[in-house]
Amino acid sequence: MKKTLCKLLLAGSALLGVSTAANAQLAVGSVAPDFTLTDINGQSQQLYKYLDSGYTVIMDISAAWCGPCWAVHNSGVLKTLYNEYGPNGTVSPKKIMVLFVEGEAQNTTAQLHGTGTTPPATYADGTQGDWVTGEPYPFIDNATLNSVYQIGGFPTFTIVCPNRTVAFAIAGYNQAMLNKSFWLPYMQNCPVATQPTDGSVMKDLAIKDVVCPGNMALSAPIQNMGTSPLTAATVEALIGGNVVATQNWTGNLAKYGIATVNFTGTGAIAAGTNNVQYKITVGSDANASNNTQNYAVKGSTTTNKTLRLEVNTDAFPGETEWKVFDDNNAVVASHKYTAGTGTNGQGGPDAQRLFQHYLDLDANKCYRFQITDTYGDGLTGVPQGQTIGNFKLYDANTMVFNIGGDFGKSAESRTLTGSAVNGIESFSNVESFKLYPNPAASFVNIDLTTNEAFGANMQIVNMVGQVVKTLDKRNFTSGFNRVTIDTKDLANGIYMLQMESNGQVKAERFTISK
C-alpha cells in the first residue's frame, strides 16, 4: 500500500517532496531507546516512565512545514486516542500516551503555533498552521530523536509497548492509519507485566545474524516480564532439539529489565539454515508461553577464496555502499557508488545498475558482507516496470547468498571461505582455459578450447571492482583459440580478466609485475 511522507530536507532539496515511504525506522521487536525531553510547556517527558506505568506510547515525529504530517494531524485520530485512552481517558484511561515531536531542526516553536509562511516557502520558516491549539497531548520541539529513532522522513510513527519493544514503525502514512481501529490492536496485544515472576526470552533480539559454519558463541537476551525483580534463571540453547549449552544466570532485573546471557559453551552450526532455540527456566514462573524463542541462523561455505560479488542497485546508486569485514572486524574490501545521472552507473532511470566485483580473500576464514542504503529503502527505488535490486555472492557458478533488495537501511551475511584460488567459472562450453604468463608485464595470452563457437564481451577489472580496460568483443571458433591482450597500460597489481557470454561469466585472476 502506498504511504505518503515528506523526505528529510537536505540543502537544495525540494520543500515538500512526496515519496514512497522509506524503511529506515527502528525494526519491529527492537528495544526503543529511552529519552527525557522537555515539552513546549516546560514539562519533562520520559519514555520509560510512561512505559513502566503501563502505557503504550505512540510517537509522531513530524515537521511543521510537512503536508502529509498535517493531513494526519487534521484527521484527529491521535487526539481521539489520547482523549479516550490517555491519562484521563473516557473509555479506558492510562492505556495510551501520545507524544508529538517536532523533528525539523530549523523550525521554531512559533511555527508549531502557526507563526510562519503558509503555505511553507522554506523549511526554515514554513508551517502548515496552528498545530497546538486544542490538542491535549504533549508537544516536544527537539530534533535529537531523528537519528536515535532512525527516521526516514516526516511523519514517522513509532508504537512502543510497555516492555520497551517497538510494535510498529513506519515513515509516512496510509489511509488506514487515520482510523482509531488501526491503532487499538497494538495496545491490546502489547506484552504487559501482570504477575510477580515471569522470565522470558525476547523476540527478535537473540542470535539472528547469519553466521559461519563451525562453532559459534551463543547468547540470548532475557527480559523480566514480572512485577518483582528477577535475580536468577537457567538458560539453555538447543540445536535440533538437543541442548548444546546451559548457562546459570544471576543478577537483578527490575520490571522490563533486559540482560544478555552469554554461554560458555558453543553450538556447532552446519552449512544451511539452522534453528537455535533459547529456553529460560525460572522458579515459580507464572507464564510459560514466553519461555522459548526460535531463531534462524545460516552458515554459508564456499570452495574458493576468490569470489564474485554482484550488486544490482536501484536507480540511486549514490545511496548504496558495501563493505566486507574479516573475523577481526577490519574492513578488507568496500565500494561506495557515486550519485548523478547517466548510463555509466551514476544514477537515474537510465543508469547502469549491475556491478560485479571480485574479492581475493584469505582461505578458511569467516567474512561478514554488509550492504547499506543511506535513504533507508534498500534497493527498491527502481524505474517503473523493473525489478528491485539485489546483493549476491557467487562461488564459481554457485550462488552463496542473495540478500535481495528490500532490506531497508542495511543487511548482512557471513561466509566461510575455501582454499582454492579462483571461484569464477561458469562457461559450460569451454573445455580448457589457460591465461599466461602470470605474473605478466606487457601482455597476457588466453588459450581457450571450446566445443562450439560463441562470442564474449571481455574486460579487465581491478580487485575493488573497477573496470580498468574494456576489450573489443571476441568471437571464438569451435576448437582451439588464442587471444593476446596488451597490458602495458596496467599498473602493477592484481586483476581479473572477465568474460561474459549469454548470461554466463568466467573470470581469471592474474598479476601485473613490471
Side-chain angles (χ1 to χ4, degrees):
M1 181 178 292
K2 186 175 182 180
K3 312 172 191 77
T4 307
L5 79 161
C6 296
K7 289 185 178 181
L8 292 178
L9 287 182
L10 303 174
S13 63
L15 178 63
L16 291 176
V18 176
S19 169
T20 302
N23 296 313
Q25 57 281 346
L26 294 180
V28 171
S30 63
V31 176
D34 191 19
F35 60 83
T36 301
L37 297 174
T38 302
D39 65 27
I40 61 175
N41 293 320
Q43 301 299 309
S44 178
Q45 306 293 336
Q46 183 184 3
L47 176 63
Y48 280 14
K49 183 177 180 179
Y50 286 118
L51 302 179
D52 290 343
S53 298
Y55 287 97
T56 296
V57 176
I58 301 173
M59 292 174 51
D60 173 4
I61 302 181
S62 288
W65 50 260
C66 171
C69 308
W70 185 244
V72 179
H73 179 77
N74 279 348
S75 74
V77 62
L78 297 183
K79 182 177 181 178
T80 298
L81 289 168
Y82 185 88
N83 285 335
E84 295 184 3
Y85 300 93
N88 301 307
T90 58
V91 177
S92 185
K94 299 189 177 181
K95 294 292 185 180
I96 289 177
M97 186 64 195
V98 176
L99 297 175
F100 181 100
V101 180
E102 162 60 78
E104 174 55 69
Q106 298 195 52
N107 279 175
T108 65
T109 302
Q111 287 162 263
L112 287 175
H113 289 280
T115 300
T117 305
T118 307
T122 68
Y123 57 85
D125 67 0
T127 183
Q128 292 289 338
D130 186 349
W131 295 75
V132 176
T133 301
E135 299 300 330
Y137 47 81
F139 280 71
I140 301 168
D141 185 8
N142 194 303
T144 59
L145 295 187
N146 290 1
S147 58
V148 175
Y149 276 75
Q150 303 175 19
I151 75 169
F154 298 131
T156 289
F157 293 96
T158 307
I159 300 177
V160 185
C161 288
N163 72 337
R164 303 174 183 176
T165 60
V166 176
F168 172 79
I170 191 173
Y173 78 95
N174 54 56
Q175 290 299 310
M177 295 168 60
L178 304 184
N179 299 306
K180 180 177 67 173
S181 59
F182 175 88
W183 304 90
L184 292 182
Y186 292 99
M187 175 195 74
Q188 296 159 354
N189 296 326
C190 272
V192 180
T194 59
Q195 302 294 327
T197 305
D198 184 5
S200 73
V201 178
M202 297 192 72
K203 293 181 180 179
D204 298 325
L205 294 176
I207 298 296
K208 60 192 176 89
D209 289 340
V210 287
V211 299
C212 286
N215 290 334
M216 60 171 286
L218 299 172
S219 63
I222 63 173
Q223 184 173 36
N224 179 19
M225 286 299 298
T227 56
S228 299
L230 181 65
T231 58
T234 299
V235 184
E236 296 173 314
L238 299 88
I239 297 178
N242 300 314
V243 177
V244 297
T246 302
Q247 193 69 34
N248 293 319
W249 172 88
T250 58
N252 194 336
L253 292 182
K255 181 175 67 172
Y256 302 136
I258 298 169
T260 299
V261 177
N262 296 310
F263 291 80
T264 54
T266 58
I269 300 296
T273 300
N274 302 264
N275 285 327
V276 177
Q277 183 184 75
Y278 296 101
K279 179 180 179 181
I280 186 172
T281 302
V282 177
S284 303
D285 198 327
N287 180 16
S289 65
N290 58 10
N291 289 162
T292 61
Q293 294 294 341
N294 293 324
Y295 300 92
V297 296
K298 177 182 289 186
S300 298
T301 59
T302 65
T303 302
N304 298 272
K305 72 187 191 73
T306 305
L307 306 170
R308 174 166 57 96
L309 186 64
E310 181 180 290
V311 184
N312 192 10
T313 74
D314 58 14
F316 307 95
E319 299 171 352
T320 303
E321 180 178 14
W322 59 261
K323 295 179 180 179
V324 181
F325 301 83
D326 64 14
D327 49 14
N328 293 317
N329 211 37
V331 177
V332 297
S334 64
H335 189 78
K336 179 174 175 57
Y337 302 101
T338 54
T341 60
T343 57
N344 59 346
Q346 308 308 306
D350 60 343
Q352 173 192 337
R353 295 175 50 208
L354 181 61
F355 300 88
Q356 299 190 71
H357 308 269
Y358 297 95
L359 307 172
D360 188 29
L361 305 174
D362 291 336
N364 303 314
K365 288 192 175 182
C366 184
Y367 288 90
R368 175 165 59 97
F369 294 77
Q370 180 190 80
I371 184 167
T372 58
D373 178 77
T374 55
Y375 183 63
D377 63 349
L379 305 175
T380 62
V382 299
Q384 186 175 5
Q386 298 188 30
T387 58
I388 66 172
N390 47 58
F391 183 66
K392 301 177 182 179
L393 183 70
Y394 285 91
D395 179 358
N397 59 351
T398 302
M399 185 168 63
V400 180
F401 64 71
N402 178 7
I403 286 180
D406 191 14
F407 55 78
K409 191 176 183 65
S410 66
E412 61 182 46
S413 185
R414 297 176 195 261
T415 296
L416 182 69
T417 57
S419 57
V421 174
N422 285 339
I424 319 299
E425 176 73 69
S426 63
F427 272 25
S428 58
N429 57 347
V430 173
E431 296 178 344
S432 65
F433 184 98
K434 181 181 180 182
L435 184 150
Y436 66 96
N438 191 7
S442 59
F443 70 94
V444 292
N445 290 321
I446 297 174
D447 285 357
L448 180 151
T449 302
T450 176
N451 55 25
E452 63 180 11
F454 70 95
N457 295 311
M458 303 174 65
Q459 58 187 10
I460 296 175
V461 183
N462 65 21
M463 296 309 292
V464 295
Q466 297 169 323
V467 177
V468 296
K469 193 179 185 70
T470 299
L471 308 173
D472 294 334
K473 183 176 181 178
R474 302 299 173 110
N475 292 311
F476 296 94
T477 59
S478 178
F480 176 79
N481 298 261
R482 174 173 290 172
V483 176
T484 300
I485 299 173
D486 185 354
T487 59
K488 290 192 294 291
D489 56 340
L490 297 181
N492 289 346
I494 300 174
Y495 298 88
M496 280 285 182
L497 172 69
Q498 177 183 298
M499 299 172 54
E500 187 276 330
S501 177
N502 296 323
Q504 296 186 94
V505 176
K506 175 174 177 56
E508 191 77 12
R509 189 179 70 164
F510 68 97
T511 301
I512 296 294
S513 179
K514 300 175 182 178

